[in-house]
Amino acid sequence: MVMTSATDPIENPERADFPIKSPRNAIVKERFTLTETSIAVGLFLALLALKPFYVTNQPWDSDEPQHLHVVWAWVNGMLPYKDVFDNHAPLFQALSAPIFALFGERADIVTAMRWAITPIAVLVLLMTYRLGRRFFSRRVALWGTVLAACFPDLYSKLNEYRPDLLWTAVWLVLLAILTGGKLTPRRLFWGGFVLGIGFAISMKTSFLLMTLLLAGTIVWLVRPMIPELRSRPQEAARLFYFIAPVIGALIVPLAVAAFFAWKGALGQMYYCVIIHNITYGANQWSLFLHRVPDLRFWLFIPMIAGGIWLAKAVANRDIALQRLFFMSVTGLYCPLLFGFWALISKQDFLPFFPIFILVLTSPLVGISEWIRSKTALPAYLLPAFIALSELSWMVSARPPLKPTNQTNLAIVSDALKLTHPGETVLDAKGQTIYRPRPFYYVFEQITREKVERGELRDDAPERLTANRTPVVVSSNWLAAATGQFVSQNYVPVGSVLVLGKKIFPDSDGHVAFDVVIPAKYTIIGANGLVTGTLDGIRLNGSRNLSPGPHDLVLAVPNAPVFVIWSRAFEKGFSPFAAAR
């Protein structure tokens, strides 16, 4: 990997920085003017002022309530994988459980938990600055962090509740450890330990490990080709240099595996976290070829070339190797992600954004400093202008005052009003958060594809019947058979669906209908309760209906009418209001 001297000037807080454009042995002492500092601080304060609005109004990602449903399971003594399905590693949700428990049942729990993990977002930015200072200069570190914080795609994800945020922070900490000083066995052990934490947060850490190993291999291959970077004889690798990181990396994953084995759920965890996420249906080679034209795939070429140039531009050999390693990691991230991960979403780039933005900021600052040397313009002109542009674009594209989560809040609120603890609610991925689901799997893309290929059986209709599930959240993610069953046996009220069906009596007020899920039902028209007979018995409020055919005769013909779950009607919910 990369080794540094114990007297590395970067470890000295009084050290000089090493900007890209500096001659090899030049020492450049950067000084920030009050104006530059004020602009950077002002941008951070603007982002902080916007945060309450985006935390509240930024649309919920479907992953957020899915994760919180698993956290709710932890809080209520259930075991993920065994009692509740989850296809993510468990550490982040388990760590969130004590905080979640403090908030109690509330419709805006996503907003509350977004605030709760804000310190992790701060850590991401601090580590971005730390790496920028390490590899470039104070000015690159400052403006790289500002540009990363203002980058809309990164800023929006920093405001979400998701394990990817902690995963990103762990990744940046790992890079800081590996490049923060001489690579002793102790440092490698702690680097491995942090990598193990990453595996306990997300299995996507597997391609991060491949990125590190391949970047280290590139440094090892390039070093003999450049006289300034060749190894010293006393730096020959020892066996413990390889053993130490392996031991460190195994501690946390083995502890997690031992816990679930003790609980009798190791097999379920292995299936959910690993086997379930393996998709065989897609043609991986075709998928890979489809991604090859993406410019991000080819970043490794200029990044590695730039890393070699940067390495040769500094006299300190150890810093040179670390720069090459860092640039290689940055360039290899996307091609390895594209090559080894089937389903790619925006959050998968979270560990990439900060380091790539730092790399881009370096020449940006260099150009600005060149402009300063030729004119009276300040050295921070270009990065400050781009940061202001990012911020302006984000505010105009995503108005912070525009409320977008009324439906999400209403779904959680209506589910809490309509159901009691322990009663099941069917949603696609856990949107109602506080109620158990009758169907084990979540209806996300992988599950749907496995159902369509026949690898998984969609027995949700049977589970709805067996659990007498009274409430369903409408979703296009439901499998076809489940969606059809729901449309036939549930009706919309408020923001959810409840047991019932819409029926159309004939001109004499007579209609026959079937009940599939037994429950207490009420028959209502547009003006409330209807009169007549049901199965030959006079209607008098609600009635328990068994599965099978039923015969309704209305005293006054009224079309249409609804057979609806009684509790919904008693709590003021009406399908007629939903229709309006």
Side-chain angles (χ1 to χ4, degrees), residues 507-542:
S507 57
D508 296 326
H510 176 264
V511 62
F513 63 92
D514 290 315
V515 167
V516 176
I517 301 177
K520 182 178 283 189
Y521 291 92
T522 302
I523 301 177
I524 61 172
N527 297 318
L529 293 172
V530 298
T531 58
T533 62
L534 177 61
D535 298 330
I537 303 173
R538 186 170 64 88
L539 284 170
N540 186 18
S542 60

Side-chain angles (χ1 to χ4, degrees), residues 545-556:
L545 297 183
S546 59
H550 297 272
D551 191 73
L552 172 67
V553 179
L554 298 178
V556 178

Side-chain angles (χ1 to χ4, degrees), residues 278-282 446 448-456:
I278 297 175
T279 57
Y280 298 100
I446 296 175
R448 285 177 55 87
E449 290 178 356
K450 288 180 179 290
V451 169
E452 290 169 359
R453 293 196 300 266
E455 297 174 21
L456 287 178

Side-chain angles (χ1 to χ4, degrees), residues 105-316:
E105 289 189 354
R106 49 190 292 173
D108 64 343
I109 186 62
V110 171
T111 299
M113 292 302 291
R114 283 176 170 180
W115 278 114
I117 64 168
T118 296
I120 303 177
V122 174
L123 178 59
V124 168
L125 296 179
L126 289 176
M127 295 312 302
T128 302
Y129 179 86
R130 171 69 180 81
L131 292 169
R133 178 77 183 270
R134 178 72 183 169
F135 295 114
F136 303 106
S137 69
R138 292 174 62 228
R139 178 165 282 126
V140 170
L142 175 65
W143 287 106
T145 306
V146 171
L147 289 169
C150 292
F151 184 57
D153 284 350
L154 179 58
Y155 183 75
S156 65
K157 293 301 175 183
L158 292 180
N159 288 324
E160 290 182 355
Y161 173 84
R162 56 172 60 255
D164 306 272
L165 189 55
L166 181 58
W167 178 57
T168 299
V170 166
W171 163 248
L172 297 178
V173 170
L174 174 59
L175 289 179
I177 290 174
L178 293 178
T179 60
K182 185 176 181 180
L183 277 186
T184 62
R186 180 179 180 180
R187 182 178 293 276
L188 287 169
F189 170 83
W190 286 112
F193 182 78
V194 172
L195 182 69
I197 293 175
F199 273 106
I201 295 169
S202 173
M203 290 307 298
K204 288 180 287 190
T205 307
S206 56
F207 79 80
L208 296 185
L209 175 59
M210 288 188 284
T211 303
L212 294 175
L213 293 176
L214 189 53
T217 302
I218 288 173
V219 173
W220 179 73
L221 291 173
V222 169
R223 185 167 55 183
M225 303 177 187
I226 303 175
E228 297 89 339
L229 303 183
R230 289 175 183 166
S231 302
R232 304 184 185 104
Q234 65 270 25
E235 292 181 0
R238 305 171 195 168
L239 180 61
F240 199 63
Y241 277 75
F242 297 95
I243 296 176
V246 172
I247 294 174
L250 290 175
I251 292 175
V252 174
L254 286 179
V256 171
F259 171 80
F260 283 94
W262 174 53
K263 294 289 186 178
L266 183 60
Q268 290 98 322
M269 183 182 75
Y270 176 74
Y271 170 79
C272 293
V273 176
I274 297 178
I275 300 300
H276 183 82
N277 289 321
I278 297 175
T279 57
Y280 298 100
N283 187 321
Q284 297 297 325
W285 180 244
S286 298
L287 190 62
F288 175 76
L289 292 178
H290 177 73
R291 293 168 176 171
V292 166
D294 192 313
L295 290 178
R296 292 169 296 183
F297 179 88
W298 299 100
L299 279 175
F300 69 95
I301 297 177
M303 290 293 112
I304 295 174
I308 295 173
W309 181 78
L310 282 174
K312 298 177 68 174
V314 63
N316 187 300

